[in-house]
Amino acid sequence: MGSKGDGVMSPLCYVLALVTAVFAAGCVTLRRKGKAFEGMMCKFMASFGFLSVAIVGYCTNPHNTYYFCLVCFALFFGFFGDVLLGIKEVAPTFRGKLIPLGTFYFLIGHIFFLSAFISISGFNLIALLVGVAGFVFALVMIKVLKMKADNKLWIIMSIYYGALAYKIAASLVLLLADPRPAWWLAFIGSVLFFISDTCLAFLYFTPVKRKNVLVTAELSTYYPAQILLAMSVALM
């Protein structure tokens, strides 16, 4: 399970997390007001904030370099995914290409998060089976709900949900074995990510009427998820 660090986070990390939360709130507010470009810029700044929290957290408490590197790679891919999905808001003409590409970048990010958790806890068969179950469930539900996804995107989305389910299960394995604050944040962040991406799936691939409600729910769970996952580095 790995040795413990001091489990104390630098005050600068709290400040960065707060600033990131302010940009996140700005993005939610601006998106609800229909200001796509301004909302996109706030989203980019918040994504940069996630990385800053993780990097400063590690520099002030350099405990597990391997975990830190994997989480940083996850946040980097999430940043690029945010860029692609953010551009979609101001250039809807490219929506059909940007959504699958952004989804793929986030999928790679989730795989890095998952690898970070497994690097600490080791392989767990039950967690893997939860991931497989998530993949099969998504495979069926995308067809049942008649989501607008071609065969290639259908497979990518199913793998994506399998990775999300595996990620939650792996973080829970960590938490049950060692209930330190870092793993509480990792687990809660993973659950919030699942909720956020579920809202996003309905927004992108179903003809929902009350989009503002789903947009608010998606962004209000996505930003805390990324902040908590980044903070797990600082509390190692």
Side-chain angles (χ1 to χ4, degrees), residues 71-93:
V71 169
C72 269
F73 277 124
L75 294 171
F76 267 118
F77 275 96
F79 175 80
F80 290 126
D82 267 339
V83 169
L84 293 168
L85 295 179
I87 292 173
K88 166 190 66 62
E89 297 299 324
V90 295
T93 305

Side-chain angles (χ1 to χ4, degrees), residues 32 199 203 210-218:
R32 284 186 65 88
C199 292
L203 270 171
R210 301 184 64 185
K211 287 193 174 183
N212 270 351
V213 174
L214 276 178
V215 167
T216 302
E218 180 261 319

Side-chain angles (χ1 to χ4, degrees), residues 169-215:
S171 63
L172 182 58
V173 168
L174 273 176
L175 179 60
L176 293 175
D178 180 12
R180 73 175 82 173
W183 306 145
W184 274 105
L185 297 187
F187 173 67
I188 295 170
S190 297
V191 171
L192 288 175
F193 229 129
F194 185 90
I195 296 170
S196 171
D197 284 342
T198 298
C199 292
L200 206 57
F202 278 96
L203 270 171
Y204 286 168
F205 306 112
T206 62
V208 291
K209 293 181 179 178
R210 301 184 64 185
K211 287 193 174 183
N212 270 351
V213 174
L214 276 178
V215 167

Side-chain angles (χ1 to χ4, degrees), residues 70-143:
L70 289 171
V71 169
C72 269
F73 277 124
L75 294 171
F76 267 118
F77 275 96
F79 175 80
F80 290 126
D82 267 339
V83 169
L84 293 168
L85 295 179
I87 292 173
K88 166 190 66 62
E89 297 299 324
V90 295
T93 305
F94 301 102
R95 175 187 174 93
K97 293 181 178 179
L98 291 172
I99 288 179
L101 195 55
T103 301
F104 181 74
Y105 270 94
F106 270 108
L107 171 59
I108 300 301
H110 288 309
I111 291 171
F112 273 112
F113 275 128
L114 176 58
S115 300
F117 300 156
I118 293 174
S119 74
I120 303 294
S121 67
F123 173 76
N124 183 281
L125 180 59
I126 295 176
L128 174 61
L129 292 176
V130 170
V132 172
F135 167 75
V136 174
F137 181 77
L139 208 62
V140 174
M141 291 307 296
I142 290 169
K143 291 298 183 182

Side-chain angles (χ1 to χ4, degrees), residues 150-173:
D150 59 26
N151 288 337
K152 185 184 294 185
L153 191 54
W154 174 45
I155 297 299
I156 292 174
M157 288 172 64
S158 299
I159 295 172
Y160 191 99
Y161 264 88
L164 282 176
Y166 195 177
K167 178 180 165 187
I168 291 173
S171 63
L172 182 58
V173 168

Side-chain angles (χ1 to χ4, degrees), residues 37-60:
F37 179 77
E38 293 86 348
M40 179 184 71
M41 296 308 296
C42 281
K43 189 173 188 179
F44 291 171
M45 292 302 297
S47 295
F48 182 74
F50 307 145
L51 281 163
S52 301
V53 170
I55 292 169
V56 171
Y58 176 76
C59 289
T60 54

